[in-house]
Amino acid sequence: MRTESDFIGQREIPKDALWGIHSLRAKENFPDQTTFHKEWFMAIGIVKQACYQTYSSFLKAIQDKFPNEEFPFQLIESNLIEDLEKVSIEINAGKHFEHFIIPAIQGGAGTSINMNVNEIISNRALLNVGKPAGSYHDIDPFEHANVFQSTNDVIPTSLKVACIRLLQELEESINTLRMEVEKTESKYRNVLRQAYTQMQTAVPSSYDKLFSTYNNALSRDWWRVSKCFERIKEVNLGGGAIGTGLSIPRFFIMEVVPNLQKLTGLPITRSENLSDATANQDSFVEVHATLKAHAVNLEKMVSDLRLLGSDLFVNREVYLPQKQVGSSIMPGKINPVIPEFVISVAHKVYANDLMISNLSGQGCLELNAYLPSIGHALLDSIKLLIAANNSLVRNLFLELEIKTNPLEESILKNPSVATALSPYIGYHQAAKLAKEMKTNQISIREANAKLNLVTAELLNKLIQPEELLKMGFRIGETLNR
């Protein structure tokens, strides 16, 4: 064990632990088991790397400009900065995450997150130079690992980096799913199906029209997600505690974000108002609204497919892939587990949306203390939606089957098909025809033969799939009855 101190007191820390007293206090204060997102942890590493690179440039600039001057503040040696940067690169690669002991749900606006990473960087750098962990007189979590930084600019900036990285993955997953839906749309083009409104039979439609609605919705989702990068590209790195840059060199403030942009390859820019970017989290609310819209579209799509593929449809046409045994007591039962998974994801996203909105509104004056919970919910939603999209591609659409029933049975016996005759015989006569069909359970051909409302030739023309599916009718068509 080793002993570490802060201004509250002393604590014993395991000898080889890269975390220190500040991490330990946070773990004890926040006894939650929700795991912090590794993607955010990794993003903190590259943000720290940008800070260290900027400090190195700052050090060189002042040494070149003032070679013989003594400053009232102590400069960090360049080799020490290099040691810190090496560890930050490792963190960005996902290393040392086992030493990150802070839970996702916490208080303190992210100070515990920042200090846990600072302690990991300091202690790992110490071990790399042959010194024991906890030798903070040589490499200190505050003086060195946190140089010219604040929790209040590092943590929200790293959240945006993690968010943009995952949004790129989400964008790709949406487009992949959209392409699979489009393949299904093309495969069943002009294949008639019975349409429904309010769970009652409606006029005839086709499977390609149904899947085109999903395709278009996913296209909108893809477009909206592609616009999210604009909403969160502005960061407050360099702004310090409240965005005023107090105690931070102007050189650092001007250069650190461009360095981060180069390191990440992401469209990140420095906010024109660092105080605004520190105090307000509405950009996360806006981005998550896009995620919620995508969740809504996914839920609508899989709810439709679950219903169409259910045993409630006696003459079922849609067959979902059989993915796993559905019951521990009923042999042969198969459940629609993929739609159920996606619906569960959607409702978790809805819950996250409410929390993000509420906690973003809880920002007080210069800072929002609930950024850790906001960030966790945001990243949670993105990752869940990526998982939902990927599962739909692999486990549903690649094996989805549609077996159409004979036209005479499924479409021509449904009274709603009488709507096709309305322009020729009027609503009331069409209603009379529909009633005859429903009462006697006969097809539209049989009912029309009894009532003699239109010629058999015209009827045969009007009930052809291309006629039932075309967009409206031309006035001249009604003249040749």
Side-chain angles (χ1 to χ4, degrees):
M1 301 292 285
R2 68 178 191 262
T3 302
E4 291 193 12
S5 304
D6 59 12
F7 63 80
I8 298 176
Q10 294 184 335
R11 294 301 303 271
E12 293 296 311
I13 307 295
K15 181 180 179 182
D16 296 328
L18 298 186
W19 47 268
I21 187 171
H22 303 286
S23 305
L24 177 61
R25 292 199 188 280
K27 183 175 175 61
E28 293 173 343
N29 289 335
F30 317 130
D32 174 54
Q33 299 301 313
T34 307
T35 304
F36 189 81
H37 286 293
K38 189 174 183 179
E39 292 82 0
W40 197 352
F41 170 79
M42 294 166 64
I44 297 171
I46 203 165
V47 170
K48 295 279 186 183
Q49 183 186 357
C51 292
Y52 301 144
Q53 283 191 358
T54 307
Y55 188 92
S56 294
S57 299
F58 167 72
L59 186 63
K60 184 177 186 304
I62 60 174
Q63 288 174 341
D64 290 344
K65 189 170 184 178
F66 307 104
N68 301 314
E69 296 290 335
E70 292 187 8
F71 298 94
F73 53 87
Q74 186 174 358
L75 295 173
I76 303 174
E77 295 179 1
S78 59
N79 61 333
L80 196 157
I81 288 293
E82 290 175 3
D83 293 334
L84 298 175
E85 185 180 351
K86 288 177 183 177
V87 183
S88 69
I89 293 172
E90 293 175 351
I91 290 175
N92 183 47
K95 296 181 180 179
H96 314 307
F97 188 59
E98 68 275 16
H99 293 276
F100 189 86
I101 62 174
I102 308 300
I105 309 303
Q106 58 191 263
T111 297
S112 302
I113 300 170
N114 190 35
M115 285 310 302
N116 195 161
V117 174
N118 285 338
E119 288 173 336
I120 291 172
I121 291 174
S122 297
N123 286 314
R124 181 62 192 175
L126 285 166
L127 293 175
N128 286 343
V129 296
K131 296 181 179 179
S135 303
Y136 296 145
H137 55 281
D138 293 308
I139 303 178
D140 185 79
F142 291 97
E143 299 284 358
H144 302 130
N146 200 58
V147 62
F148 295 153
Q149 303 160 46
S150 167
T151 291
N152 302 344
D153 63 358
V154 167
I155 298 307
T157 297
S158 58
L159 172 58
K160 290 184 176 181
V161 170
C163 186
I164 292 174
R165 284 172 165 177
L166 283 172
L167 283 172
Q168 291 176 328
E169 189 175 343
L170 176 61
E171 184 181 19
E172 182 178 349
S173 74
I174 293 173
N175 204 36
T176 301
L177 174 58
R178 186 198 61 76
M179 288 189 290
E180 287 303 319
V181 173
E182 188 174 305
K183 289 177 185 177
T184 305
E185 177 188 346
S186 299
K187 183 177 180 180
Y188 297 102
R189 192 167 303 283
N190 292 330
V191 175
L192 285 177
R193 59 171 287 271
Q194 180 59 59
Y196 296 85
T197 59
Q198 296 167 270
M199 293 195 174
Q200 308 298 313
T201 55
V203 298
S205 184
S206 63
Y207 280 102
D208 67 294
K209 288 190 181 299
L210 177 64
F211 284 93
S212 75
T213 67
Y214 308 143
N215 186 8
N216 282 29
L218 290 170
S219 294
R220 290 192 296 274
D221 289 336
W222 175 83
W223 182 85
R224 282 188 287 250
V225 169
S226 72
K227 298 301 179 184
C228 284
F229 307 116
E230 287 294 316
R231 304 295 181 263
I232 56 171
K233 70 178 184 179
E234 293 187 359
V235 299
N236 67 336
L237 190 62
I242 62 171
T244 60
L246 182 65
S247 78
I248 299 173
R250 185 171 297 175
F251 177 96
F252 187 92
I253 296 172
M254 294 296 107
E255 295 297 325
V256 68
V257 174
N259 282 339
L260 179 61
Q261 185 186 66
K262 292 176 184 176
L263 285 173
T264 61
L266 300 176
I268 295 171
T269 61
R270 184 182 68 254
S271 173
E272 293 182 2
N273 187 332
L274 295 176
S275 296
D276 166 50
T278 305
N280 295 315
Q281 309 306 327
D282 56 286
S283 62
F284 295 130
V285 176
E286 185 177 7
V287 167
H288 201 274
T290 290
L291 303 181
K292 181 174 70 172
H294 179 42
V296 167
N297 286 333
L298 290 181
E299 182 178 12
K300 165 63 168 61
M301 177 174 67
V302 300
S303 293
D304 286 351
L305 296 176
R306 181 180 61 161
L307 178 61
L308 291 172
S310 74
D311 291 337
L312 295 173
F313 279 77
V314 178
N315 297 318
R316 180 159 40 128
E317 298 173 355
V318 175
Y319 290 82
L320 304 180
Q322 297 185 356
K323 302 308 296 184
Q324 64 187 66
V325 172
S327 174
S328 61
I329 190 171
M330 293 176 282
K333 190 173 188 291
I334 303 294
N335 294 331
V337 293
I338 305 305
E340 289 167 352
F341 166 64
V342 174
I343 291 170
S344 298
V345 165
H347 284 260
K348 184 64 168 70
V349 172
Y350 304 155
N352 286 343
D353 190 73
L354 180 62
M355 185 172 77
I356 289 171
S357 299
N358 289 348
L359 291 183
S360 293
Q362 281 290 312
C364 184
L365 300 177
E366 278 70 39
L367 187 66
N368 190 309
Y370 306 100
L371 186 69
S373 293
I374 292 170
H376 179 78
L378 178 62
L379 298 178
D380 185 46
S381 290
I382 300 174
K383 291 165 71 174
L384 282 170
L385 290 170
I386 292 170
N389 290 330
N390 291 341
S391 184
L392 282 170
V393 170
R394 291 193 298 263
N395 299 315
L396 194 149
F397 277 97
L398 288 178
E399 302 175 45
L400 182 68
E401 291 185 27
I402 297 175
K403 300 177 182 178
T404 59
N405 291 324
L407 182 65
E408 188 75 19
E409 292 182 16
S410 61
I411 303 296
L412 299 187
K413 283 189 176 181
N414 193 296
S416 63
V417 75
T419 306
L421 276 64
S422 292
Y424 301 87
I425 62 177
Y427 175 87
H428 295 294
Q429 289 291 82
K432 183 178 179 180
L433 180 65
K435 183 177 181 180
E436 183 71 21
M437 294 173 63
K438 188 171 184 179
T439 301
N440 297 302
Q441 294 293 297
I442 58 178
S443 72
I444 191 171
R445 284 195 179 95
E446 294 170 306
N448 182 63
K450 292 177 65 175
L451 300 177
N452 196 27
L453 297 176
V454 296
T455 66
E457 182 183 6
L458 177 59
L459 177 60
N460 284 333
K461 176 184 177 183
L462 294 178
I463 61 176
Q464 292 303 308
E466 60 270 20
E467 289 291 321
L468 293 172
L469 298 174
K470 72 180 183 180
M471 185 64 68
F473 68 91
R474 299 179 186 276
I475 296 298
E477 294 170 347
T478 63
L479 300 179
N480 299 316
R481 294 175 51 181

